[in-house]
Amino acid sequence: MAQANISAQLVKQLREMTDAPMMDCKKALVHTDGNIEQAIDYLREKGLSKASKKADRVASEGVIALQISDNFKKASLLEINSETDFVAKNEAFQELVQKSTALVFEKEIYAIEELVNLQVDGVSFEEYLQQNIAKIGENIVLRKVCTIKADLNVVINGYVHTNKRVGVLVAIRYNNSSSQEVAIDLAKKLAMHAAAMKPQTVCYKEFSDEFIQKEKVALKAELEKENEEFKRLGKPLHIIPEYVSQKEITAEILKKEEEEIKKRLREQNKPETIRDKIITGQLERFKADNTLLDQRLTLLGQYYILDDKKRVEQILNEEGQKHGDSFKIADYIRFELGEGIEKQATDFAAEVAAQLG
Protein backbone atom coordinates (compact mmCIF):
# COMPACT_ATOMS: atom_id res chain seq x y z
CA MET A 1 0.00 0.00 0.00
CA ALA A 2 1.48 3.34 -0.99
CA GLN A 3 2.21 5.88 1.74
CA ALA A 4 -0.39 8.24 0.30
CA ASN A 5 -3.08 5.55 0.72
CA ILE A 6 -2.57 5.14 4.48
CA SER A 7 -5.67 6.87 5.79
CA ALA A 8 -5.61 9.23 8.75
CA GLN A 9 -8.33 7.08 10.35
CA LEU A 10 -6.12 3.99 10.23
CA VAL A 11 -3.21 5.92 11.74
CA LYS A 12 -5.51 7.22 14.49
CA GLN A 13 -6.76 3.69 15.22
CA LEU A 14 -3.21 2.36 15.57
CA ARG A 15 -2.23 5.24 17.82
CA GLU A 16 -5.20 4.58 20.09
CA MET A 17 -4.26 0.90 20.27
CA THR A 18 -0.57 1.45 21.03
CA ASP A 19 -0.04 5.02 22.32
CA ALA A 20 2.89 5.23 19.91
CA PRO A 21 3.69 8.63 18.29
CA MET A 22 1.57 9.50 15.27
CA MET A 23 4.44 9.56 12.77
CA ASP A 24 5.73 6.18 14.01
CA CYS A 25 2.24 4.74 13.59
CA LYS A 26 2.13 5.95 10.01
CA LYS A 27 5.63 4.58 9.36
CA ALA A 28 4.60 1.19 10.80
CA LEU A 29 1.52 1.04 8.60
CA VAL A 30 3.55 1.92 5.51
CA HIS A 31 6.08 -0.78 6.42
CA THR A 32 3.32 -3.40 6.81
CA ASP A 33 1.23 -2.28 3.83
CA GLY A 34 -1.59 -1.15 6.10
CA ASN A 35 -1.88 -4.40 8.12
CA ILE A 36 -2.74 -3.12 11.58
CA GLU A 37 -1.91 -6.35 13.43
CA GLN A 38 1.53 -6.48 11.84
CA ALA A 39 1.96 -2.77 12.53
CA ILE A 40 1.35 -3.41 16.24
CA ASP A 41 4.05 -6.09 16.19
CA TYR A 42 6.41 -3.76 14.29
CA LEU A 43 5.97 -1.00 16.87
CA ARG A 44 6.51 -3.43 19.71
CA GLU A 45 9.68 -4.76 18.11
CA LYS A 46 10.94 -1.19 17.79
CA GLY A 47 10.04 -0.45 21.41
CA LEU A 48 7.57 2.17 20.24
CA SER A 49 4.33 0.63 21.47
CA LYS A 50 3.59 2.31 24.76
CA ALA A 51 1.28 -0.39 26.10
CA SER A 52 2.84 0.00 29.53
CA LYS A 53 1.65 3.62 29.64
CA LYS A 54 -1.89 2.36 29.78
CA ALA A 55 -1.18 1.01 33.24
CA ASP A 56 -1.70 4.57 34.46
CA ARG A 57 -5.36 4.37 33.50
CA VAL A 58 -7.89 3.10 36.00
CA ALA A 59 -9.09 -0.35 35.00
CA SER A 60 -12.30 -0.93 36.93
CA GLU A 61 -14.47 -2.67 34.34
CA GLY A 62 -13.98 -6.14 32.88
CA VAL A 63 -15.22 -9.54 34.04
CA ILE A 64 -15.18 -12.11 36.80
CA ALA A 65 -14.34 -15.59 35.48
CA LEU A 66 -14.85 -18.99 37.07
CA GLN A 67 -13.80 -22.58 36.36
CA ILE A 68 -14.90 -25.60 38.40
CA SER A 69 -13.74 -29.20 37.97
CA ASP A 70 -16.30 -31.79 36.90
CA ASN A 71 -16.01 -33.53 40.27
CA PHE A 72 -16.43 -30.25 42.21
CA LYS A 73 -13.10 -30.73 43.95
CA LYS A 74 -11.20 -27.76 42.51
CA ALA A 75 -12.19 -24.27 41.40
CA SER A 76 -10.54 -21.03 40.28
CA LEU A 77 -11.92 -17.49 40.39
CA LEU A 78 -10.38 -14.50 38.57
CA GLU A 79 -11.00 -10.78 38.29
CA ILE A 80 -9.74 -9.34 35.00
CA ASN A 81 -10.12 -5.58 34.70
CA SER A 82 -10.35 -3.33 31.68
CA GLU A 83 -11.00 0.39 31.31
CA THR A 84 -14.45 0.12 29.73
CA ASP A 85 -17.25 -2.41 29.82
CA PHE A 86 -17.30 -2.32 26.02
CA VAL A 87 -14.04 -4.27 25.82
CA ALA A 88 -15.72 -7.30 27.44
CA LYS A 89 -17.39 -7.91 24.07
CA ASN A 90 -14.03 -7.87 22.28
CA GLU A 91 -13.06 -11.32 20.97
CA ALA A 92 -9.41 -10.81 21.84
CA PHE A 93 -10.36 -9.91 25.41
CA GLN A 94 -12.64 -12.93 25.68
CA GLU A 95 -9.81 -15.16 24.48
CA LEU A 96 -7.50 -13.56 27.05
CA VAL A 97 -10.03 -14.32 29.79
CA GLN A 98 -10.43 -17.92 28.63
CA LYS A 99 -6.69 -18.62 28.44
CA SER A 100 -5.95 -16.87 31.73
CA THR A 101 -8.67 -18.81 33.51
CA ALA A 102 -7.49 -22.12 32.07
CA LEU A 103 -3.90 -21.35 33.09
CA VAL A 104 -4.83 -20.40 36.66
CA PHE A 105 -7.02 -23.49 36.98
CA GLU A 106 -4.54 -25.95 35.45
CA LYS A 107 -1.53 -24.66 37.41
CA GLU A 108 -3.57 -24.15 40.59
CA ILE A 109 -2.52 -20.52 40.98
CA TYR A 110 -3.25 -18.92 44.35
CA ALA A 111 -1.70 -15.45 43.81
CA ILE A 112 -0.95 -13.10 40.91
CA GLU A 113 2.79 -13.35 41.59
CA GLU A 114 2.76 -17.05 40.71
CA LEU A 115 1.89 -16.23 37.09
CA VAL A 116 5.16 -14.42 36.37
CA ASN A 117 7.14 -17.43 35.18
CA LEU A 118 4.32 -19.22 33.40
CA GLN A 119 3.89 -19.20 29.64
CA VAL A 120 0.99 -18.60 27.30
CA ASP A 121 1.32 -19.08 23.53
CA GLY A 122 5.08 -19.47 23.84
CA VAL A 123 5.72 -16.25 25.77
CA SER A 124 5.66 -15.28 29.44
CA PHE A 125 2.28 -14.40 30.86
CA GLU A 126 3.41 -10.79 31.34
CA GLU A 127 4.45 -10.59 27.69
CA TYR A 128 1.17 -12.18 26.62
CA LEU A 129 -0.74 -9.59 28.64
CA GLN A 130 1.24 -6.69 27.17
CA GLN A 131 0.59 -8.00 23.65
CA ASN A 132 -3.13 -7.98 24.33
CA ILE A 133 -3.01 -4.51 25.89
CA ALA A 134 -1.43 -3.25 22.67
CA LYS A 135 -3.86 -5.19 20.49
CA ILE A 136 -7.05 -4.29 22.34
CA GLY A 137 -6.08 -0.69 23.07
CA GLU A 138 -6.99 -0.61 26.76
CA ASN A 139 -5.21 -1.20 30.02
CA ILE A 140 -5.95 -4.74 31.18
CA VAL A 141 -5.14 -5.92 34.69
CA LEU A 142 -5.38 -9.43 36.08
CA ARG A 143 -6.22 -8.08 39.51
CA LYS A 144 -7.19 -11.05 41.66
CA VAL A 145 -6.99 -14.82 41.37
CA CYS A 146 -7.65 -17.71 43.70
CA THR A 147 -7.77 -21.47 43.45
CA ILE A 148 -9.23 -23.73 46.11
CA LYS A 149 -9.10 -27.51 46.38
CA ALA A 150 -11.40 -29.73 48.39
CA ASP A 151 -10.45 -32.19 51.10
CA LEU A 152 -12.25 -35.47 51.70
CA ASN A 153 -16.00 -34.92 52.22
CA VAL A 154 -15.81 -31.37 50.87
CA VAL A 155 -17.21 -30.10 47.57
CA ILE A 156 -16.84 -26.71 45.88
CA ASN A 157 -19.40 -24.95 43.74
CA GLY A 158 -19.73 -21.41 42.52
CA TYR A 159 -21.64 -18.81 40.62
CA VAL A 160 -20.86 -15.88 38.35
CA HIS A 161 -23.73 -13.47 37.89
CA THR A 162 -24.96 -12.98 34.35
CA ASN A 163 -23.42 -9.50 34.19
CA LYS A 164 -20.03 -11.08 35.09
CA ARG A 165 -19.46 -8.43 37.74
CA VAL A 166 -19.69 -10.75 40.74
CA GLY A 167 -18.39 -14.27 41.32
CA VAL A 168 -18.51 -16.51 44.37
CA LEU A 169 -17.03 -19.84 45.47
CA VAL A 170 -18.50 -21.82 48.37
CA ALA A 171 -17.08 -25.06 49.76
CA ILE A 172 -19.36 -27.29 51.83
CA ARG A 173 -18.23 -29.98 54.26
CA TYR A 174 -20.43 -33.03 54.92
CA ASN A 175 -20.04 -36.42 56.64
CA ASN A 176 -21.85 -39.03 54.55
CA SER A 177 -20.93 -39.85 50.95
CA SER A 178 -24.63 -40.05 50.13
CA SER A 179 -24.87 -36.30 50.88
CA GLN A 180 -22.45 -35.21 48.16
CA GLU A 181 -25.05 -34.20 45.56
CA VAL A 182 -27.04 -32.30 48.18
CA ALA A 183 -23.89 -30.47 49.25
CA ILE A 184 -23.05 -29.56 45.63
CA ASP A 185 -26.52 -28.08 45.11
CA LEU A 186 -26.45 -26.29 48.45
CA ALA A 187 -23.04 -24.76 47.69
CA LYS A 188 -24.37 -23.40 44.37
CA LYS A 189 -27.42 -21.85 46.02
CA LEU A 190 -25.38 -20.27 48.78
CA ALA A 191 -22.96 -18.89 46.19
CA MET A 192 -25.90 -17.26 44.41
CA HIS A 193 -27.16 -15.90 47.73
CA ALA A 194 -23.73 -14.43 48.50
CA ALA A 195 -23.47 -12.88 45.05
CA ALA A 196 -26.57 -10.85 45.80
CA MET A 197 -26.26 -10.21 49.53
CA LYS A 198 -22.53 -9.38 49.75
CA PRO A 199 -21.45 -11.06 53.00
CA GLN A 200 -17.88 -10.11 53.84
CA THR A 201 -17.10 -13.19 55.91
CA VAL A 202 -18.60 -16.53 56.94
CA CYS A 203 -19.15 -16.09 60.67
CA TYR A 204 -19.22 -13.41 63.39
CA LYS A 205 -16.31 -15.18 65.10
CA GLU A 206 -14.04 -13.64 62.49
CA PHE A 207 -14.84 -10.09 63.68
CA SER A 208 -12.37 -8.41 65.98
CA ASP A 209 -13.73 -6.71 69.09
CA GLU A 210 -12.36 -3.41 67.81
CA PHE A 211 -14.22 -3.82 64.51
CA ILE A 212 -17.49 -4.60 66.29
CA GLN A 213 -17.26 -1.54 68.52
CA LYS A 214 -16.44 0.73 65.59
CA GLU A 215 -19.31 -0.64 63.51
CA LYS A 216 -21.70 -0.44 66.45
CA VAL A 217 -21.22 3.31 66.68
CA ALA A 218 -21.89 3.74 62.97
CA LEU A 219 -24.86 1.36 62.94
CA LYS A 220 -26.57 3.04 65.89
CA ALA A 221 -26.06 6.46 64.33
CA GLU A 222 -27.58 5.19 61.08
CA LEU A 223 -30.66 3.80 62.85
CA GLU A 224 -31.13 6.95 64.93
CA LYS A 225 -30.93 9.09 61.80
CA GLU A 226 -33.53 6.93 60.08
CA ASN A 227 -35.74 7.14 63.16
CA GLU A 228 -35.84 10.92 62.85
CA GLU A 229 -37.38 10.53 59.40
CA PHE A 230 -39.66 7.65 60.48
CA LYS A 231 -40.94 9.73 63.39
CA ARG A 232 -41.73 12.61 61.04
CA LEU A 233 -43.62 10.23 58.74
CA GLY A 234 -45.40 8.42 61.57
CA LYS A 235 -43.71 5.09 60.78
CA PRO A 236 -42.65 2.47 63.37
CA LEU A 237 -39.20 3.26 64.74
CA HIS A 238 -36.12 1.04 64.70
CA ILE A 239 -35.15 -0.53 67.99
CA ILE A 240 -31.75 0.87 68.89
CA PRO A 241 -29.82 -2.27 69.88
CA GLU A 242 -27.52 -2.65 72.84
CA TYR A 243 -25.48 -5.23 70.92
CA VAL A 244 -24.82 -5.73 67.20
CA SER A 245 -23.14 -9.15 66.98
CA GLN A 246 -23.58 -12.62 68.40
CA LYS A 247 -19.97 -12.32 69.55
CA GLU A 248 -21.12 -9.80 72.16
CA ILE A 249 -24.03 -11.87 73.45
CA THR A 250 -22.70 -14.11 76.21
CA ALA A 251 -24.55 -16.92 77.96
CA GLU A 252 -24.98 -14.60 80.95
CA ILE A 253 -26.63 -11.94 78.79
CA LEU A 254 -29.05 -14.50 77.31
CA LYS A 255 -29.85 -15.85 80.77
CA LYS A 256 -30.58 -12.33 82.05
CA GLU A 257 -32.84 -11.64 79.05
CA GLU A 258 -34.67 -14.93 79.61
CA GLU A 259 -35.34 -14.02 83.24
CA GLU A 260 -36.69 -10.63 82.22
CA ILE A 261 -39.00 -12.29 79.67
CA LYS A 262 -40.26 -14.70 82.33
CA LYS A 263 -40.88 -11.79 84.69
CA ARG A 264 -42.93 -9.94 82.06
CA LEU A 265 -44.95 -13.07 81.31
CA ARG A 266 -45.77 -13.52 85.01
CA GLU A 267 -46.82 -9.88 85.26
CA GLN A 268 -49.05 -10.36 82.22
CA ASN A 269 -50.53 -13.53 83.72
CA LYS A 270 -49.72 -15.56 80.62
CA PRO A 271 -50.71 -19.24 81.00
CA GLU A 272 -47.77 -21.43 81.98
CA THR A 273 -48.64 -23.88 79.19
CA ILE A 274 -47.62 -21.40 76.51
CA ARG A 275 -44.79 -19.61 78.29
CA ASP A 276 -41.99 -21.84 76.98
CA LYS A 277 -43.02 -21.18 73.39
CA ILE A 278 -43.24 -17.43 74.01
CA ILE A 279 -39.85 -17.40 75.75
CA THR A 280 -38.21 -19.19 72.79
CA GLY A 281 -39.77 -16.77 70.32
CA GLN A 282 -38.82 -13.65 72.29
CA LEU A 283 -35.25 -14.84 72.79
CA GLU A 284 -34.98 -15.33 69.04
CA ARG A 285 -36.34 -11.82 68.54
CA PHE A 286 -33.81 -10.47 71.05
CA LYS A 287 -30.98 -12.13 69.12
CA ALA A 288 -32.36 -10.85 65.81
CA ASP A 289 -32.57 -7.28 67.13
CA ASN A 290 -29.04 -7.45 68.54
CA THR A 291 -27.12 -9.12 65.71
CA LEU A 292 -27.62 -6.58 62.93
CA LEU A 293 -23.93 -6.53 62.07
CA ASP A 294 -23.93 -10.30 61.58
CA GLN A 295 -27.03 -10.05 59.40
CA ARG A 296 -25.36 -7.51 57.17
CA LEU A 297 -21.84 -8.87 56.89
CA THR A 298 -21.75 -12.62 57.63
CA LEU A 299 -22.93 -15.40 55.37
CA LEU A 300 -24.23 -17.55 58.23
CA GLY A 301 -25.97 -14.62 59.92
CA GLN A 302 -27.80 -13.33 56.86
CA TYR A 303 -31.43 -14.15 56.16
CA TYR A 304 -31.56 -16.55 53.24
CA ILE A 305 -32.58 -14.98 49.96
CA LEU A 306 -35.13 -17.74 49.27
CA ASP A 307 -36.59 -17.78 52.78
CA ASP A 308 -36.18 -14.47 54.57
CA LYS A 309 -37.59 -15.90 57.81
CA LYS A 310 -34.53 -18.12 58.25
CA ARG A 311 -30.84 -17.34 58.49
CA VAL A 312 -28.37 -19.23 56.31
CA GLU A 313 -27.10 -21.05 59.40
CA GLN A 314 -30.64 -22.33 60.04
CA ILE A 315 -30.93 -23.49 56.43
CA LEU A 316 -27.69 -25.47 56.77
CA ASN A 317 -28.88 -27.04 60.02
CA GLU A 318 -32.29 -27.95 58.59
CA GLU A 319 -30.73 -29.49 55.47
CA GLY A 320 -28.42 -31.49 57.70
CA GLN A 321 -31.32 -32.80 59.80
CA LYS A 322 -33.33 -33.57 56.68
CA HIS A 323 -30.55 -35.73 55.21
CA GLY A 324 -29.17 -37.14 58.44
CA ASP A 325 -25.94 -35.24 58.08
CA SER A 326 -24.17 -32.04 59.09
CA PHE A 327 -23.33 -29.33 56.54
CA LYS A 328 -20.66 -26.72 57.28
CA ILE A 329 -19.14 -23.98 55.15
CA ALA A 330 -15.49 -24.93 54.66
CA ASP A 331 -14.50 -21.97 52.47
CA TYR A 332 -16.03 -18.83 50.99
CA ILE A 333 -14.59 -16.41 48.43
CA ARG A 334 -16.38 -13.52 46.74
CA PHE A 335 -15.00 -11.26 44.00
CA GLU A 336 -16.83 -8.12 42.91
CA LEU A 337 -15.58 -6.28 39.87
CA GLY A 338 -13.70 -3.10 40.72
CA GLU A 339 -14.21 -3.54 44.45
CA GLY A 340 -11.79 -1.21 46.16
CA ILE A 341 -11.24 0.68 42.91
CA GLU A 342 -14.70 1.99 42.22
CA LYS A 343 -17.75 1.62 44.40
CA GLN A 344 -20.38 -0.55 42.75
CA ALA A 345 -23.98 0.38 43.52
CA THR A 346 -25.60 -2.44 41.58
CA ASP A 347 -28.37 -4.20 43.49
CA PHE A 348 -29.49 -7.42 41.86
CA ALA A 349 -30.77 -9.48 44.79
CA ALA A 350 -34.18 -9.87 43.17
CA GLU A 351 -32.55 -10.92 39.89
CA VAL A 352 -30.55 -13.64 41.61
CA ALA A 353 -33.61 -14.76 43.56
CA ALA A 354 -35.49 -15.13 40.28
CA GLN A 355 -32.73 -17.37 38.91
CA LEU A 356 -32.71 -19.45 42.09
CA GLY A 357 -36.45 -19.86 41.86
Side-chain angles (χ1 to χ4, degrees), residues 150-179:
D151 298 329
L152 184 67
N153 287 355
V154 175
V155 289
I156 306 161
N157 212 340
Y159 169 72
V160 172
H161 190 61
T162 51
N163 62 12
K164 296 185 179 180
R165 299 188 71 89
V166 176
V168 178
L169 290 176
V170 173
I172 299 278
R173 186 180 302 280
Y174 55 96
N175 295 323
N176 307 325
S177 58
S178 59
S179 300

Side-chain angles (χ1 to χ4, degrees), residues 199-350:
Q200 292 185 9
T201 189
V202 173
C203 178
Y204 67 85
K205 294 176 183 177
E206 298 171 54
F207 293 149
S208 69
D209 294 340
E210 181 183 6
F211 176 78
I212 290 172
Q213 294 309 312
K214 181 180 177 182
E215 292 299 312
K216 183 192 290 188
V217 172
L219 202 155
K220 283 187 173 183
E222 176 188 323
L223 296 177
E224 287 165 356
K225 187 68 175 175
E226 288 184 4
N227 275 351
E228 291 177 10
E229 181 67 10
F230 288 175
K231 187 174 181 179
R232 187 182 70 81
L233 297 172
K235 292 184 176 182
L237 303 183
H238 292 301
I239 294 172
I240 305 300
E242 185 175 355
Y243 312 103
V244 295
S245 174
Q246 182 71 36
K247 192 173 184 182
E248 297 180 289
I249 303 175
T250 63
E252 290 77 14
I253 289 171
L254 281 177
K255 184 65 177 175
K256 181 181 176 182
E257 181 65 23
E258 183 177 351
E259 291 303 320
E260 289 180 0
I261 293 170
K262 288 178 179 178
K263 180 182 176 182
R264 288 196 299 269
L265 293 177
R266 287 194 298 269
E267 290 171 350
Q268 295 167 4
N269 293 319
K270 294 290 185 182
E272 288 191 20
T273 52
I274 63 170
R275 284 184 188 177
D276 285 348
K277 186 175 182 180
I278 295 174
I279 290 167
T280 300
Q282 291 195 8
L283 279 176
E284 282 300 313
R285 178 58 190 267
F286 173 80
K287 286 190 279 189
D289 289 340
N290 288 276
T291 55
L292 296 182
L293 188 64
D294 303 348
Q295 292 168 35
R296 290 188 179 190
L297 300 184
T298 72
L299 180 52
L300 290 175
Q302 289 182 336
Y303 284 91
Y304 187 40
I305 196 170
L306 288 183
D307 186 347
D308 61 8
K309 298 291 190 295
K310 297 176 183 176
R311 292 184 297 276
V312 169
E313 186 171 24
Q314 291 174 277
I315 296 296
L316 282 168
N317 291 338
E318 288 181 6
E319 286 295 312
Q321 291 170 7
K322 180 179 176 182
H323 296 281
D325 208 330
S326 174
F327 296 117
K328 304 292 182 184
I329 296 175
D331 209 343
Y332 161 65
I333 297 166
R334 183 182 188 276
F335 285 179
E336 181 161 356
L337 194 64
E339 194 168 46
I341 299 175
E342 179 181 68
K343 182 175 175 62
Q344 300 296 331
T346 307
D347 179 9
F348 45 77

Side-chain angles (χ1 to χ4, degrees), residues 67-76 105 108 110 146-157 169-174 180 183-184 187 328-333:
Q67 186 166 340
I68 302 171
S69 63
D70 292 339
N71 64 357
F72 299 95
K73 288 292 186 178
K74 183 173 77 169
S76 294
F105 182 80
E108 299 177 4
Y110 296 85
C146 74
T147 299
I148 59 176
K149 297 178 70 177
D151 298 329
L152 184 67
N153 287 355
V154 175
V155 289
I156 306 161
N157 212 340
L169 290 176
V170 173
I172 299 278
R173 186 180 302 280
Y174 55 96
Q180 180 172 314
I184 290 169
K328 304 292 182 184
I329 296 175
D331 209 343
Y332 161 65
I333 297 166

Side-chain angles (χ1 to χ4, degrees), residues 85-143:
D85 58 359
F86 179 75
V87 80
K89 303 177 180 66
N90 183 296
E91 286 186 11
F93 181 77
Q94 291 174 354
E95 182 179 351
L96 167 71
V97 170
Q98 186 273 322
K99 288 186 176 181
S100 299
T101 304
L103 182 68
V104 168
F105 182 80
E106 179 189 351
K107 301 297 183 181
E108 299 177 4
I109 301 300
Y110 296 85
I112 297 293
E113 296 75 20
E114 297 177 43
L115 285 164
V116 173
N117 297 320
L118 299 182
Q119 290 206 331
V120 181
D121 293 349
V123 297
S124 70
F125 182 82
E126 182 63 27
E127 177 74 3
Y128 172 72
L129 188 60
Q130 290 300 317
Q131 288 177 1
N132 278 275
I133 289 172
K135 184 188 299 183
I136 295 168
E138 281 197 11
N139 184 29
I140 298 167
V141 178
L142 183 53
R143 184 164 175 253

